[in-house]
Amino acid sequence: KIYESGLTFEEYIQSLKNIQTKLSSAPKVIINGNSITFTAPCGTQIRYTSDNHAPTLDSLKLSSSLSGRNVTYKAIACYQGYTSAVSTVTITKYGDIFKDITVKDWYYTTVSDAVHQNIFSGMGDYTFAPQSTMTRAMLVQVLANMSGINLKQYNKSSYSDVNTKSWYAPAVQWATENNIVQGMGDGKFAPITPVTREQVCVIFYNYSKSKAPNKLPSFSDKSTISSWAKNGVAFCAASGIVNGYPDNTFRPRNGATRAEVAKISLKYLEI
């Protein structure tokens, strides 16, 4: 094939290097208001889809910026019959833009609604990080957002590891003063520590101020639920906020993702 192309071996190797250079990364996403476009190195061609399928050499050729609602665009750069990795960007039904969710993801509607209702915000650079673990700081901020509380008055910190200038400090102080959360001992809050499923239940239970007794469901692993978490798990299960898994386990020590907590938050607002 080298000889059929008319290239010497050295020229062929250089050609491969050129291809590798031009297609070394996925197309760059450029966002301008509610419209998007993709860019790639000079000499390449961009092909894209709007039906959530992977683009190919035969997909639509990009010729202008893209817009719309409730749509996921996927794009590749093409050069001499080769293709790059795929870039993905989604415009939600409300016009919010994210690079790390698609309209086919189970959490798409959840994320769209939670962001639109100002319960959640993105993680920067048009990402939501749906599969990232929720931290203690993130969770109390979400609860503060849900409550609609004015946090300006919470300008001090009860914990040595919460700087009053950090973005989560007011929410942490509000949640502490209202007995929604407690510290982790030794005067610390551990803001970036991931929360587990049973911890999420306890914090939502505290936030609800509910005193009604609830029976803990007969999860097959209910003996592994911490004693201090049983009321919280019982409340969330009875309210339909948090459910067990199909195998009848609860898995209390599993981490809770941002997408999962977004779903829990929206369910809470329905009760």
Side-chain angles (χ1 to χ4, degrees):
K1 291 184 178 180
I2 297 175
Y3 296 115
E4 290 174 359
S5 67
L7 299 176
T8 64
F9 179 76
E10 290 76 14
E11 290 172 335
Y12 177 70
I13 294 300
Q14 185 58 50
S15 175
L16 291 180
K17 289 181 178 179
N18 290 340
I19 293 171
Q20 185 178 35
T21 298
K22 288 182 178 293
L23 302 177
S24 61
S25 60
K28 184 178 180 181
V29 180
I30 304 297
I31 299 171
N32 184 16
N34 290 324
S35 65
I36 64 169
T37 191
F38 298 93
T39 63
C42 181
T44 61
Q45 190 179 83
I46 295 177
R47 300 279 179 167
Y48 75 96
T49 61
S50 58
D51 57 4
N52 207 47
H53 287 94
T56 68
L57 292 167
D58 298 319
S59 297
L60 295 171
K61 179 181 177 181
L62 182 69
S63 58
S64 62
S65 60
L66 305 169
S67 59
R69 297 288 177 95
N70 215 35
V71 59
T72 293
Y73 293 108
K74 295 185 177 183
I76 54 174
C78 308
Y79 184 71
Q80 295 185 3
Y82 294 87
T83 61
S84 70
V86 179
S87 280
T88 300
V89 62
T90 295
I91 307 176
T92 72
K93 56 186 177 181
Y94 302 110
D96 298 302
I97 299 176
F98 292 104
K99 298 177 184 177
D100 58 353
I101 67 172
T102 76
V103 295
K104 296 296 184 181
D105 293 326
W106 71 261
Y107 46 75
Y108 166 69
T109 298
T110 293
V111 170
S112 299
D113 291 346
V115 171
H116 179 66
Q117 295 181 35
N118 296 314
I119 298 172
F120 270 74
S121 57
M123 297 290 285
D125 193 29
Y126 297 96
T127 63
F128 185 81
Q131 302 291 6
S132 294
T133 304
M134 195 81 175
T135 66
R136 285 168 56 81
M138 290 177 186
L139 183 52
V140 293
Q141 183 63 60
V142 163
L143 293 175
N145 295 344
M146 289 170 58
S147 73
I149 189 73
N150 185 339
L151 293 173
K152 289 184 178 180
Q153 61 183 303
Y154 298 97
N155 53 13
K156 66 178 183 178
S157 174
S158 298
Y159 306 101
S160 61
D161 59 348
V162 176
N163 190 307
T164 55
K165 295 182 179 179
S166 61
W167 60 265
Y168 49 79
V172 170
Q173 192 62 28
W174 162 77
T176 299
E177 291 185 16
N178 286 276
N179 298 313
I180 297 170
V181 294
Q182 297 177 343
M184 299 292 282
D186 197 27
K188 295 184 178 181
F189 181 74
I192 62 173
T193 298
V195 289
T196 63
R197 283 167 55 82
E198 66 178 5
Q199 289 171 343
V200 169
C201 289
V202 169
I203 292 172
F204 269 90
Y205 175 60
N206 293 343
Y207 175 73
S208 74
K209 306 298 182 184
S210 173
K211 300 300 180 183
N214 291 289
K215 183 179 180 181
L216 188 67
S218 56
F219 297 118
S220 61
D221 60 347
K222 75 178 198 176
S223 63
T224 65
I225 298 173
S226 301
S227 58
W228 50 263
K230 288 183 178 180
N231 285 340
V233 173
F235 164 77
C236 288
S239 303
I241 300 171
V242 180
N243 299 313
Y245 289 93
D247 62 357
N248 196 37
T249 60
F250 184 75
R251 307 177 199 175
R253 309 282 166 58
N254 277 20
T257 67
R258 282 172 52 81
E260 289 170 339
V261 176
K263 185 175 182 179
I264 292 168
S265 302
L266 292 172
K267 282 188 172 183
Y268 180 89
L269 292 176
E270 294 175 355
I271 63 176

